[in-house]
Amino acid sequence: MKQRTATIQDVARAAGVSTATVSRTLSKPSVVARATREAVLGAVEATGYRLNATASNLRRQRAGSVIALIPNLANPFFSQILAGISSVLTKAQLGLLVADTQSGPDPDERLAYYLRSGQADGLILLDGTLNEAVLDVAGRPPVLMACEWMGSDLPSLRVDNARGVDMAIAHLVQMGHRKIGHITGPQSNVLTKARHDGFVAAMMARGMLLHDDWIFDGDFSMDSGRAAARQWLGLDDRPTAVFCASDEMAVGFMGAAQHAGVRVPDDVSIIGFDNIEMVGHLTPALTTIRQPRTEIGVRAAEMLLGMIEAGALTGPSEQIDVEFVIRESVARIAE
């Protein structure tokens, strides 16, 4: 016997609301209360109701999707963020398209294409190295920056990078370290500046010496972490601890140091930034600053949905706090 297709009336009865409320929740989820939204979405799942998304999008002149633009699809940092974005968009009957801004010869042209193509109702941009002038496109969809940023007026969602670095340096000082190095990110990246400025401020606030020889250039990759380790090994006066502006660089530094016979953390202590999945499984497990990546994705999608429903290109910016995760890669030394 063929199972009856669920209707909007079935959803309304299951959720204990009117059909108008169901329709409003599915078409404009940002304008209804969280409890109502959860009740309706739960009823949709329970009844197996399927909205005719194509017809709905045609009526609302919507593309029915959001594009997330990231600078490196191979970077594991973005996986949880994308999962968080997708979880919100799925409930709002929107698809998620993912593209790599750096995969072609002209990243700015790729952004311009997506702004003009009509493929998406909004964009979540996770690459702050692009040219803000590209956004000056008539009729473009809303754009939200997440994690990275460019310009002061574009709505963005960021973490408190300076606070994260300060917690890392405070922990190293508490563990007796006075000679602390730093591996930076790529020079064109806003996170590089934010974390380097945070490093300098945290060191100066504690009366610590800053040595040019202890600042190593990186690009957020494991290869650059390995290169920094080789530089560190070549120093006559080595820092006893190294703060890395990303976990991938910390992984590269640790591997190269251990391969050279250096004991971590006995001979050098290491702290990363991001808390990507692999670092808890290293030997020793990496002490790092955790970005709540799933929460970042969820909140970024919610903020963009609000802009889409309001038909607005501007909106508020928000900041999410970070968490310091202590594991085994930092040793206490004699002061």
Side-chain angles (χ1 to χ4, degrees), residues 40-335:
V40 170
L41 294 176
V44 167
E45 184 174 353
T47 60
Y49 177 70
R50 293 292 180 268
L51 179 67
N52 187 333
T54 300
S56 176
N57 289 332
L58 286 172
R59 286 195 300 272
R60 293 183 291 157
Q61 294 185 319
R62 294 279 177 84
S65 63
V66 164
I67 296 176
L69 291 170
I70 64 178
N72 182 2
L73 282 171
N75 190 333
F77 171 76
F78 297 108
S79 59
Q80 288 185 9
I81 294 176
L82 293 174
I85 293 171
S86 180
S87 70
V88 173
L89 296 182
T90 298
K91 293 177 182 178
Q93 303 291 322
L94 289 171
L96 174 63
L97 307 176
V98 181
D100 190 331
T101 57
Q102 304 297 328
S103 64
D106 192 337
D108 291 334
E109 184 55 39
R110 286 179 64 80
L111 173 58
Y113 167 75
Y114 287 119
L115 291 171
R116 297 189 181 102
S117 68
Q119 295 183 47
D121 300 310
L123 280 76
I124 297 177
L125 188 57
L126 293 103
D127 185 351
T129 66
L130 300 174
N131 184 356
E132 188 176 4
V134 176
L135 297 174
D136 188 16
V137 174
R140 71 164 175 85
V143 176
L144 176 82
M145 293 293 305
C147 296
E148 299 183 16
W149 59 93
M150 56 185 183
S152 57
D153 297 330
L154 199 65
S156 66
L157 179 67
R158 315 177 189 181
V159 301
D160 194 341
N161 290 278
R163 173 167 167 74
V165 179
D166 189 76
M167 288 190 290
I169 301 306
H171 180 65
L172 290 172
V173 172
Q174 183 182 20
M175 297 294 280
H177 294 273
R178 296 296 180 267
K179 300 161 64 175
I180 303 172
H182 174 41
I183 308 178
T184 70
Q187 293 306 307
S188 61
N189 192 286
V190 291
L191 296 178
T192 298
K193 176 173 172 51
R195 293 173 190 176
H196 180 262
D197 288 351
F199 173 79
V200 172
M203 294 283 283
M204 292 182 66
R206 293 166 176 83
M208 309 289 287
L209 294 177
L210 294 165
H211 290 262
D212 289 342
D213 288 347
W214 297 350
I215 305 297
F216 310 99
D217 292 336
D219 60 12
F220 292 154
S221 71
M222 283 187 274
D223 283 343
S224 67
R226 283 191 286 268
R230 289 192 290 269
Q231 289 181 260
W232 178 86
L233 287 164
L235 295 175
D236 293 327
D237 183 19
R238 300 172 183 167
T240 62
V242 177
F243 163 66
C244 308
S246 79
D247 281 349
E248 286 206 64
M249 293 193 300
V251 171
F253 186 97
M254 183 185 296
Q258 290 173 327
H259 187 73
V262 174
R263 298 170 301 165
V264 180
D266 296 334
D267 298 326
V268 62
S269 292
I270 305 172
I271 293 181
F273 201 119
D274 290 333
N275 195 41
I276 59 177
E277 286 83 353
M278 73 174 76
V279 299
H281 303 282
L282 300 175
T283 303
L286 183 69
T287 292
T288 188
I289 297 127
R290 174 183 174 268
Q291 295 198 61
R293 290 178 290 144
T294 300
E295 181 183 343
I296 289 169
V298 167
R299 187 62 194 131
E302 290 175 344
M303 291 171 68
L304 183 66
L305 281 179
M307 295 169 64
I308 292 171
E309 295 302 335
L313 298 182
T314 60
S317 293
E318 296 183 10
Q319 183 170 267
I320 293 179
D321 205 359
V322 292
E323 175 190 359
F324 190 57
V325 181
I326 298 176
R327 294 194 179 102
E328 294 92 40
S329 64
V330 175
R332 182 178 296 278
I333 64 172
E335 298 189 38

